[in-house]
């Protein structure tokens, strides 16, 4: 069987490397002159009958050019500032050398050019919404998290970044999925100056070249990159004060000269924040009330580097590295009170926990990009390796007492030590293949994952501690994925554009529990089609319809059957029988005058899985597990509007109405929560002076029901002051977030197996921040969109 699988993987790799037949090309040559002298740096392009650019070059120092194209009829356009444009319709059948092209100088000189039109803040493309941060006064003066907060349709709550209607989303930097999550990701985004960001792409339905995994869509933050012969450095400092405090330092350096491009980023945080949680569980004969107070450390260090070298004019070799060290240790105090049916206090459980945690990850990537010809055909090959290790040593002391007998106190000391090691190797091949008929792209990916975890539970009441094998486990998980994709886009006419795609993925998984000697295997082959249709009726109206099928694979921790104890009477456990869920996503978007965007979406998810809270009322233990529990229909409508009528006031606003209907699987005993949700946000920037800005932001979410949970209303009111000094090189920001402390997840209610549970989770969203952002070097930049090849595996590692 192993040889068959190896042969299968080898065959897939060979298929990926088979070159497609080249289309016969014709060479068009010529020279551009003015007054008998050659003119260098002239733009020479070929466009088809629909005005689509097919090929283009610039003339050399001798005014000469050479363009390759397929047979056909084109319009040759020659242009240079200060000269009259030159156009000619030509038919290419064989290699052709034109007579000298003579440009005529403009009669008048250009003393001044005044641009009166405003740049677009957001653009609706066929498969994504592009938020141009550099064109938004509201977003461009803060940090990356500030920019995400004002991006259309995004919501940030309790460390989770999501696209409304899509759920928790994956965040990419320059096409590379970040290996951080939760508060560590938020801290990292806080350290990136928004001035270093060119645009944010909100991809609700990712096209075929992206991994089919994930229901929450993609958020791609694209950095700026220094132009030729330039460099730029940006340094940041932030001090956050809540119950505790933490400091974040960051530095980004960009260098671009001749054939070499280099970037280096360093980011570190130290300090802590407070996490308050309450959890009540009510059964037919008992009530449990748990209150938890945690000091959560935010100690982390991230380093990232990339090097690109132009081997030739058409081939680039690149290396990238991303490393992350985290020490998010926890000190926890919790009190659980247990009442009988008559509301009499029966028992008090006081627990102190000390959790030492170490997370280390390294991602190495090599990629080669080669332009195959002047028609735009391009080949990219990517090799990525990820290693991730985590060690957790959790020690907690529990005192159980009877309120009627203060002298009766039972103490238990426990140790819960766990470790996990994840490795991933992946290779990707992508080919862009424009033709006269349509633009095609195709390629594939091979991914090999291996995860090993080990958890040991000790009763440390005695000395030495005694291993409890019933609560210990070793688990090994392997997963191989082979994928092929094909995508084609065509401009049908000047108004209508079509894009079709298909991704094929074959997945083989093996989970083995050494402790109970149990093996779970699964092999599935799935198709993931995508469809996009864009219609521009006129300059003011654009319509986009899209569809995509997605898979949501469980994270490696979700599959691991070991218990991780949060305290003595609460633990989290994975489920090795968890199955992936599949969703069909439909979207319709209308953009009016590039300022008002309307969106309607509908999503059907089968075998939906998630966190499942249960309570063991016999042993007074709260259990957090994972299950496939439902089929969900999720739908909504949203409006986003940018107001910029006045030079001193810019406002971005959105309103959404969301709804859901859930049907439970046969073996689930829970109460379904179906309902609607109203969400509103407004982000406003007031220019008090040329260098002083005031920001006032607010969002509100109504009470809502979805799936197994009912949630209370929440909101956030923020005020920020920004002052630019030293010719705008230094930005000083004072920010007050969630002033009324209303943004946390509250009244999170569910009824499972006859037990009603209500939780509140406040992770210090209210804080004051002082930050300094200083940049120096070249001011001219361009977009950088390099990426790693194992984005999906990083996400599922949960790092």
């Amino acid at each position: 069987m192993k040889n068959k699988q190896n042969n299968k993987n080898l065959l897939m790799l060979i298929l990926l490397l088979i070159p497609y037949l080249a289309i016969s090309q014709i060479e068009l040559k010529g020279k551009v002159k003015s007054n008998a002298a050659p003119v260098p740096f002239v733009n020479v392009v070929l466009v088809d009958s629909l005005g689509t650019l097919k090929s283009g070059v610039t003339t050399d120092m001798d005014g000469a050019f050479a363009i390759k194209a397929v047979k056909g009829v084109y319009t040759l356009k020659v242009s240079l500032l200060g000269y009259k444009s030159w156009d000619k319709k030509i038919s290419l059948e064989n290699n052709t050398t034109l007579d000298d092209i003579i440009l005529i100088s403009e009669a008048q000189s250009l003393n001044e050019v005044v641009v009166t039109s405003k740049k677009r803040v957001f653009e609706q493309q066929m498969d994504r919404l592009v938020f141009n941060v550099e064109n938004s006064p509201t977003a461009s003066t803060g940090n990356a998290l500030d920019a995400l907060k004002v991006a259309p349709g995004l919501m940030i709550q309790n460390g989770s970044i999501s696209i409304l209607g899509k759920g928790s989303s994956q965040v990419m930097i320059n096409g590379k999925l970040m290996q951080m999550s939760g508060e560590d990701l938020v801290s990292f985004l806080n350290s990136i100056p928004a001035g270093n960001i060119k645009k944010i792409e909100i991809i609700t339905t990712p096209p075929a070249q992206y991994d089919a995994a994930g229901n929450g869509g993609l958020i791609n933050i694209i950095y700026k990159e220094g132009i030729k012969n330039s460099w730029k450095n940006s340094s940041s400092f932030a001090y956050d004060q809540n119950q505790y405090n933490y400091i974040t330092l960051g530095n980004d350096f960009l260098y671009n000269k001749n054939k070499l491009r280099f970037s280096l980023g360093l980011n570190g945080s130290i300090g802590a924040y407070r996490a308050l949680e309450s959890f009540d569980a009510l059964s037919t004969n008992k009530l449990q009330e748990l209150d938890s107070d945690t000091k959560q450390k935010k100690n982390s260090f991230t380093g990232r580097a990339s090097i690109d070298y132009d081997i030739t004019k058409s081939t680039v070799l690149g290396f990238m590295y991303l490393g992350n060290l985290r020490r998010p240790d926890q000190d926890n105090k919790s009190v659980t009170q247990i009442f009988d049916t008559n509301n009499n206090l029966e028992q008090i459980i006081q627990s102190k926990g000390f959790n030492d945690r170490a997370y280390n990850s390294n991602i190495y990537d090599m990629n080669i990009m080669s332009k195959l010809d002047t028609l735009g055909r391009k080949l990219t090959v990517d090799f990525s390796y990820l290693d991730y290790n985590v060690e957790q040593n959790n020690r907690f002391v529990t005192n159980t007492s009877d309120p009627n007998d203060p002298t009766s106190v039972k103490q238990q000391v426990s140790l819960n030590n766990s470790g996990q090691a994840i490795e991933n190797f992946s290779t990707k091949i992508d080919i862009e293949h424009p033709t006269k008929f349509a633009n095609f792209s195709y390629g594939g990916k091979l991914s090999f994952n291996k995860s090993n975890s080990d958890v040991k539970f000790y009763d440390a009441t005695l000395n030495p501690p005694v291993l409890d094998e019933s609560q210990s486990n070793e688990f090994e998980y392997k997963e191989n994925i082979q994928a092929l994709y094909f995508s084609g886009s065509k401009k049908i006419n000047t108004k209508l554009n079509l894009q079709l795609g298909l991704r094929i993925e074959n997945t083989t998984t093996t989970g083995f529990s050494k402790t109970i000697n149990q093996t779970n295997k699964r092999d599935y082959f799935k198709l993931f089609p995508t469809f996009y249709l864009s219609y521009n009726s006129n300059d003011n109206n654009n319509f986009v319809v899209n569809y995509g099928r997605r898979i949501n694979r469980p994270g490696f921790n979700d599959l691991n059957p070991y218990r991780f104890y949060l305290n003595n009477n609460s633990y989290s456990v994975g489920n090795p029988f968890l199955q992936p869920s599949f969703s069909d996503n439909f979207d319709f978007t209308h953009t009016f005058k590039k300022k008002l965007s309307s969106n309607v979406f509908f999503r059907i998810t089968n075998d939906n899985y998630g966190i499942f809270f249960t309570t063991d009322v016999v042993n007074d233990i709260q259990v957090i597990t994972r299950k496939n529990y439902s089929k969900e229909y999720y739908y909504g409508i949203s409006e986003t509007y940018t107001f910029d009528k006045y030079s001193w006031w810019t406002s971005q606003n959105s309103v959404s109405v969301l709804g859901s209907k859930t049907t439970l699987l046969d073996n689930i005993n829970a109460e379904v929560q179906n309902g609607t949700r109203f969400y509103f946000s407004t982000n406003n920037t007031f220019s008090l002076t040329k260098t002083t800005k005031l920001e006032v932001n607010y969002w509100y979410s109504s009470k809502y029901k979805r799936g197994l949970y009912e949630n209370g209303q929440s909101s956030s009111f923020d005020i920020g002051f920004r002052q630019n000094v030293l010719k705008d090189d230094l930005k000083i920001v004072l920010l007050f977030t969630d002033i009324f402390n209303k943004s946390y997840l509250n009244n999170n209610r569910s009824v499972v197996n006859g037990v009603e549970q209500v939780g509140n989770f406040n992770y210090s969203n209210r804080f004051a921040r002082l930050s300094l952002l200083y940049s120096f070097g070249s001011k001219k930049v361009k977009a950088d969109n390099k990426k790693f090849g194992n984005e999906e595996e990083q996400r599922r590692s949960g790092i």
Side-chain angles (χ1 to χ4, degrees):
M1 290 296 294
K2 185 175 181 180
N3 290 334
K4 289 183 177 180
Q5 182 64 40
N6 290 337
N7 292 336
K8 185 177 181 180
N9 292 338
L10 180 60
L11 178 60
M12 292 288 291
L13 183 60
I14 292 174
L15 288 174
L16 296 180
L17 293 172
I18 293 177
Y20 282 66
L21 293 176
I23 296 177
S24 178
Q25 297 182 29
I26 297 170
E27 189 171 59
L28 176 66
K29 294 182 178 181
K31 283 189 176 183
V32 179
K33 296 181 178 181
S34 178
N35 297 326
V39 184
F41 309 118
V42 178
N43 295 321
V44 183
V45 299
L46 286 173
V47 298
D48 61 14
S49 58
L50 295 178
T52 303
L53 177 65
K54 292 299 181 181
S55 184
V57 296
T58 58
T59 58
D60 60 20
M61 296 305 295
D62 296 325
F65 66 88
I67 301 180
K68 291 184 178 180
V70 298
K71 292 182 179 180
V73 178
Y74 302 92
T75 298
L76 180 66
K77 294 179 174 290
V78 181
S79 61
L80 182 65
L81 185 65
Y83 295 87
K84 292 183 179 181
S85 298
W86 185 96
D87 296 352
K88 183 179 181 180
K89 190 173 183 179
I90 60 174
S91 177
L92 292 182
E93 297 292 338
N94 300 295
N95 292 339
T96 304
T97 300
L98 299 174
D99 294 334
D100 290 348
I101 298 173
I102 306 301
L103 292 184
I104 300 174
S105 178
E106 292 281 6
Q108 69 277 14
S109 61
L110 299 175
N111 294 323
E112 182 179 10
V113 178
V114 179
V115 180
T116 58
S117 62
K118 294 183 178 180
K119 296 180 179 179
R120 302 179 188 180
V121 175
F122 63 85
E123 303 173 68
Q124 182 63 59
Q125 297 182 2
M126 193 150 49
D127 59 359
R128 68 198 64 194
L129 177 67
V130 179
F131 177 45
N132 293 306
V133 175
E134 61 181 353
N135 300 337
S136 171
T138 307
S140 60
T141 56
N143 56 50
L145 193 65
D146 296 326
L148 288 174
K149 287 180 179 178
V150 302
L154 296 188
M155 183 177 182
I156 300 173
Q157 187 178 39
N158 278 10
S160 175
I161 302 171
S162 61
I163 300 174
L164 277 172
K166 296 292 182 181
S168 185
S169 303
Q170 304 172 53
V171 176
M172 300 188 295
I173 302 292
N174 295 334
K176 164 191 61 66
L177 193 74
M178 296 305 296
Q179 95 288 15
M180 292 175 282
S181 61
E183 286 299 321
D184 292 292
L185 176 60
V186 170
S187 176
F188 172 70
L189 294 173
N190 277 330
S191 71
I192 301 174
N196 286 2
I197 300 173
K198 185 174 182 65
K199 57 186 176 181
I200 296 173
E201 297 179 338
I202 303 169
I203 311 172
T204 56
T205 306
Q209 60 262 41
Y210 292 99
D211 289 324
N215 290 333
L218 299 174
I219 301 169
N220 188 23
I221 300 173
I222 298 179
Y223 277 159
K224 296 174 180 177
E225 180 188 87
I227 63 168
K228 287 288 187 180
N229 301 318
S230 68
W231 64 275
K232 183 178 181 181
N233 192 86
S234 298
S235 301
S236 63
F237 164 85
Y239 174 83
D240 288 58
Q241 179 69 55
N242 47 69
Q243 179 69 27
Y244 307 112
N245 59 71
Y246 57 90
I247 295 173
T248 302
L249 294 173
N251 193 81
D252 287 280
F253 177 76
L254 301 173
Y255 175 85
N256 190 340
K257 187 173 183 180
N258 299 326
K259 298 181 178 182
L260 179 66
R261 291 170 298 284
F262 171 76
S263 68
L264 176 65
L266 301 173
N267 176 67
S269 296
I270 187 170
Y273 69 94
R274 188 182 190 185
L276 297 175
E277 299 179 345
S278 67
F279 205 84
D280 298 343
L282 176 63
S283 63
T284 55
N285 59 358
K286 195 169 292 187
L287 169 65
Q288 295 184 24
E289 294 182 351
L290 183 149
D291 291 289
S292 173
D293 189 344
T294 301
K295 184 177 183 180
Q296 173 70 64
K297 298 291 183 65
K298 287 182 66 71
N299 301 337
S300 65
F301 177 78
T302 300
R304 57 196 183 279
S306 66
I307 300 175
D308 292 300
Y309 183 76
D310 298 334
I311 300 175
T312 67
K313 290 184 179 180
S314 59
T315 302
V316 180
L317 177 64
F319 297 92
M320 290 189 286
Y321 169 78
L322 182 65
N324 180 244
L325 306 175
R326 291 193 290 150
R327 299 295 182 268
D329 299 340
Q330 293 178 329
D331 292 341
N332 171 267
K333 297 179 181 179
S334 66
V335 177
T336 301
Q337 300 183 84
I338 300 175
F339 301 84
D340 63 16
T341 54
N342 296 319
N343 204 32
N344 296 316
L345 182 61
E346 285 186 335
Q347 201 173 59
I348 300 176
I349 303 174
Q350 295 178 307
S351 180
K352 290 184 178 181
F354 308 93
N355 190 1
D356 295 328
R357 301 191 291 178
Y359 293 76
N360 301 320
S361 66
N362 297 279
I363 305 171
Y364 309 88
D365 188 274
M366 182 183 76
N367 55 81
I368 301 173
M369 189 276 291
S370 181
K371 296 178 181 179
L372 303 179
D373 52 39
T374 59
L375 295 177
R377 289 194 295 174
K378 183 170 68 175
L379 170 68
T380 303
V381 181
D382 188 283
F383 302 93
S384 292
Y385 176 76
L386 159 71
D387 72 80
Y388 162 61
N389 293 276
V390 58
E391 293 183 1
Q392 302 190 74
N393 298 312
N394 192 6
R395 180 179 184 271
F396 43 89
V397 179
T398 302
N399 293 316
T400 304
S401 61
D402 183 347
N404 299 317
D405 184 5
T407 62
S408 175
V409 178
K410 179 183 178 181
Q411 185 177 83
Q412 181 179 359
V413 182
S414 302
L415 296 175
N416 181 218
N417 300 334
S418 62
Q420 186 175 30
I422 297 174
E423 286 185 296
N424 166 261
F425 172 76
S426 65
T427 178
K428 288 177 59 180
I429 297 177
D430 298 285
I431 300 174
E432 297 179 19
H433 192 142
T435 68
K436 184 178 180 181
F437 173 74
N439 293 330
F440 298 103
S441 62
Y442 43 85
K445 177 180 177 180
L446 295 177
S447 177
F448 306 92
N449 295 293
K450 183 178 180 180
S451 172
N452 289 287
S453 57
D454 182 14
V455 60
K456 290 182 172 60
F457 186 90
Y458 296 89
D459 183 350
T461 306
L462 302 175
N463 192 13
V466 178
L467 176 66
D468 184 349
E469 294 187 359
S470 67
Q471 300 187 62
S472 303
N473 185 53
E474 290 184 65
F475 185 70
E476 181 180 282
Y477 180 78
K478 294 181 180 180
E479 179 182 81
N480 297 334
I481 302 174
Q482 305 92 36
L484 293 171
Y485 79 87
F486 179 84
S487 178
S489 63
K490 180 175 176 60
K491 185 173 184 179
I492 299 175
N493 54 44
T494 56
K495 295 185 177 182
L496 195 62
N497 292 273
L498 175 67
Q499 180 175 316
L500 299 173
L502 178 65
R503 189 176 184 90
I504 304 170
E505 291 192 356
N506 182 73
T507 306
T508 303
T509 68
T510 302
F512 175 61
S513 175
K514 296 181 180 179
T515 304
I516 59 177
N517 194 30
Q518 178 180 344
T519 301
N520 301 303
K521 293 184 178 181
R522 191 159 189 245
D523 191 341
Y524 52 94
F525 178 87
K526 298 294 181 180
L527 303 179
F528 301 94
T530 53
F531 167 85
Y532 309 85
L533 184 66
S534 173
Y535 177 70
N536 291 294
S537 60
N538 51 49
D539 291 340
N540 292 331
N541 292 278
N542 172 258
F543 301 87
V544 175
V545 177
N546 63 56
Y547 162 78
R549 181 168 172 80
R550 308 285 292 167
I551 180 175
N552 194 24
R553 295 186 180 91
F556 302 129
N557 285 334
D558 294 330
L559 296 163
N560 197 332
Y562 73 79
R563 294 181 180 182
F564 174 73
Y565 277 80
L566 307 175
N567 51 56
N568 196 56
N569 62 322
S570 179
Y571 67 84
S572 175
V573 60
N575 180 3
F577 299 100
L578 204 61
Q579 302 296 317
S581 64
F582 296 88
S583 63
D584 294 279
N585 302 270
F586 304 85
D587 269 272
F588 171 78
T589 302
H590 170 233
T591 305
F592 178 68
K593 289 188 176 180
K594 304 178 181 66
K595 290 186 177 181
L596 176 64
S597 178
S598 307
N599 175 258
V600 178
F601 76 89
F602 180 67
R603 185 176 77 196
I604 304 172
T605 303
N606 291 288
D607 288 329
N608 196 29
Y609 71 85
I611 292 177
F612 202 78
F613 289 94
T614 61
T615 300
D616 182 347
V617 294
V618 176
N619 298 307
D620 300 325
I621 294 177
Q622 294 172 344
V623 182
I624 304 171
T625 186
R626 283 85 177 157
K627 282 189 177 182
N628 296 92
Y629 60 79
S630 71
K631 178 177 182 179
E632 182 188 58
Y633 301 88
Y634 198 49
Y635 48 87
I637 183 171
S638 63
E639 300 282 344
T640 301
Y641 178 68
T642 299
F643 176 81
D644 55 1
K645 182 178 180 179
Y646 306 111
S647 60
W648 54 271
W649 176 28
T650 300
S651 179
Q652 291 178 221
N653 309 273
S654 67
V655 59
S656 301
V657 178
L658 311 169
S660 66
K661 180 180 179 181
T662 298
T663 57
L664 297 180
L665 302 180
D666 293 337
N667 60 341
I668 300 299
N669 178 21
E671 183 179 297
V672 177
Q673 306 287 348
N674 293 323
T676 58
R677 178 185 187 183
F678 173 79
Y679 178 82
F680 167 76
S681 69
T682 178
N683 300 275
N684 303 270
T685 298
F686 301 91
S687 298
L688 305 181
T689 68
K690 188 176 180 181
T691 59
T692 307
K693 297 183 185 296
L694 166 68
E695 289 201 5
V696 180
N697 303 323
Y698 176 78
W699 64 259
Y700 168 81
S701 175
S702 68
K703 295 180 180 179
Y704 67 96
K705 299 179 179 181
R706 182 183 176 189
L708 300 180
Y709 302 99
E710 177 182 357
N711 296 278
Q713 68 179 12
S714 55
S715 62
S716 181
F717 180 67
D718 312 334
I719 295 179
F721 299 91
R722 306 181 187 275
Q723 178 68 50
N724 295 358
V725 297
L726 302 179
K727 297 181 180 180
D728 292 340
D729 287 339
L730 176 62
K731 297 178 176 64
I732 305 172
V733 181
L734 182 61
L735 180 65
F736 301 92
T737 298
D738 191 18
I739 293 175
F740 300 109
N741 195 27
K742 297 292 185 181
S743 69
Y744 63 92
L745 186 64
N746 65 89
N747 292 312
N748 181 257
R749 176 183 175 273
S750 65
V751 180
V752 178
N753 295 325
V755 179
E756 180 183 10
Q757 301 169 97
V758 180
N760 295 277
F761 311 94
N762 190 339
Y763 300 147
S764 295
N765 296 326
R766 178 169 63 175
F767 60 84
R769 173 187 298 152
L770 173 65
S771 62
L772 306 175
L773 309 172
Y774 181 63
S775 300
F776 57 94
S778 172
K779 303 298 183 183
K780 297 181 179 180
V781 291
K782 62 181 180 180
D784 175 24
N785 198 20
K786 303 292 289 185
K787 59 184 179 180
F788 283 99
N790 58 354
E791 297 94 344
E792 161 61 5
E793 291 74 21
Q794 298 172 41
R795 178 187 70 86
R796 296 176 60 216
S797 300
I799 48 182

